[in-house]
Amino acid sequence: MPSAVDAINSAIGEVAKARANVAKLRHGQVRGTDDLASLASTAWAWFKTHRPIVEAVFPKSDLSAIDGYYQTILDSSNRHATKRTYLDALKGGKEALLELRAVLVTKTPAPPQSSTEDLPPDFSPLAGNQEMRDVLTRRWHECRKCVSAEAHLAAIVMMGGLLEALFVARANKMPDKGPLTKAVSAPKDKASGKTVNYQDWMLDSYIKVGHELNWITDSAKQIADVLKEYRNYVHPAKELRHQVALAHNDSAIFWQVTKALVRQLLIGVSQP
């Protein structure tokens, strides 16, 4: 389970950066499309990524005040709100996050001296031959090394690739492809209306169909959706447009999520 304090640290860094960006704006209202998208992205990062981790580790924490500040940012991004509205909400959110961190630091247990959670799982339920198992194991280790080396974007791109490979493998293991091709979430060809060959699906479609077929849980799908979006920052223009800077806490948190998703995909695989 990722550290709740790490999640809060990421949120603090994001609101601080967002507040600095808003403060630089020359006009009294925030109207720029990229500025509004960046602010909304900051709020969604709390609701979709950081908050679930805090709530999972400390379910009795009162997050209502923090939620309120982020909700103000989201609501304001749908209209031309003033700079002061954002500055106040971001300042209040940062102060509330700092207070929560101070409380949780005293509750967070020290990490164990040794852990086996980074060891690769047995991929044999999904990979029938040793060569493919070796490929998946190498990719697992590469993800881990990228996180340790603070190659944050590279780590998240590798995680997305690993998950996509495992989704394909899970689909390949299905003796009957009917549930896969008939899934409501399965992508359709715009011209023919027929389901696209599952070998050509993107990660987004696999996440949706995997959730529909109960390969992954509701919470796993929500966080996988966020990982997918961050993976898309491999495109420099999108990173520039959204003003997103990935940090160690982000890649470390996503690595925890990826490991959990991998293990969910390995559960209940139909054997040939």
Side-chain angles (χ1 to χ4, degrees), residues 80-236:
H80 293 155
T82 64
K83 283 176 58 176
R84 178 49 53 194
T85 298
Y86 289 109
L87 291 173
D88 289 347
L90 290 164
K91 180 181 179 182
K94 181 178 179 180
E95 291 174 349
L97 287 165
L98 288 169
E99 291 177 6
L100 179 63
R101 184 178 67 179
V103 172
L104 297 190
V105 163
T106 64
K107 298 181 179 179
T108 304
Q113 293 300 310
S114 61
S115 174
T116 60
E117 67 172 6
D118 273 350
L119 294 177
D122 177 10
F123 289 111
S124 57
L126 289 177
N129 61 75
Q130 186 60 50
E131 290 79 7
M132 179 54 72
R133 291 197 291 272
D134 290 342
V135 169
L136 294 172
T137 299
R138 286 198 299 272
R139 293 200 174 198
W140 175 282
H141 286 307
E142 190 164 343
C143 290
R144 177 181 56 78
K145 290 175 182 177
C146 285
V147 173
S148 299
E150 300 188 13
H152 313 303
L153 180 57
I156 292 172
V157 170
M158 284 299 303
M159 293 173 210
L162 175 62
L163 287 174
E164 193 165 326
L166 291 174
F167 273 114
V168 174
R170 181 73 188 254
N172 286 335
K173 295 291 286 188
M174 296 178 69
D176 176 14
K177 302 295 191 293
L180 190 73
T181 58
K182 295 176 183 176
V184 175
S185 304
K188 303 295 190 294
D189 182 84
K190 292 182 179 179
S192 67
K194 295 181 179 180
T195 299
V196 176
N197 187 310
Y198 74 91
Q199 297 279 2
D200 298 325
W201 292 3
M202 304 295 285
L203 180 58
D204 178 62
S205 296
Y206 273 115
I207 292 171
K208 291 176 180 175
V209 174
H211 174 253
E212 185 177 334
L213 298 182
N214 295 318
W215 294 353
I216 59 175
T217 62
D218 289 338
S219 58
K221 178 190 179 297
Q222 292 176 13
I223 302 180
D225 283 335
V226 179
L227 186 149
K228 173 203 67 182
E229 291 301 320
Y230 272 74
R231 181 197 186 193
N232 288 339
Y233 289 125
V234 69
H235 304 291

Side-chain angles (χ1 to χ4, degrees), residues 231-246:
R231 181 197 186 193
N232 288 339
Y233 289 125
V234 69
H235 304 291
K238 181 169 183 177
E239 180 178 343
L240 179 63
R241 185 166 64 251
H242 289 186
Q243 293 291 298
V244 170
L246 295 169

Side-chain angles (χ1 to χ4, degrees), residues 11 14 40-53 55 63-75 222-223 226:
E14 290 161 5
S41 178
T42 298
W44 282 123
W46 165 253
F47 286 117
K48 297 293 187 179
T49 305
H50 308 314
R51 191 186 195 284
I53 294 169
E55 191 173 34
L63 305 178
S64 58
I66 299 173
D67 290 346
Y69 290 117
Y70 279 109
Q71 191 61 53
T72 296
I73 295 168
L74 269 183
D75 293 342
Q222 292 176 13
I223 302 180
V226 179

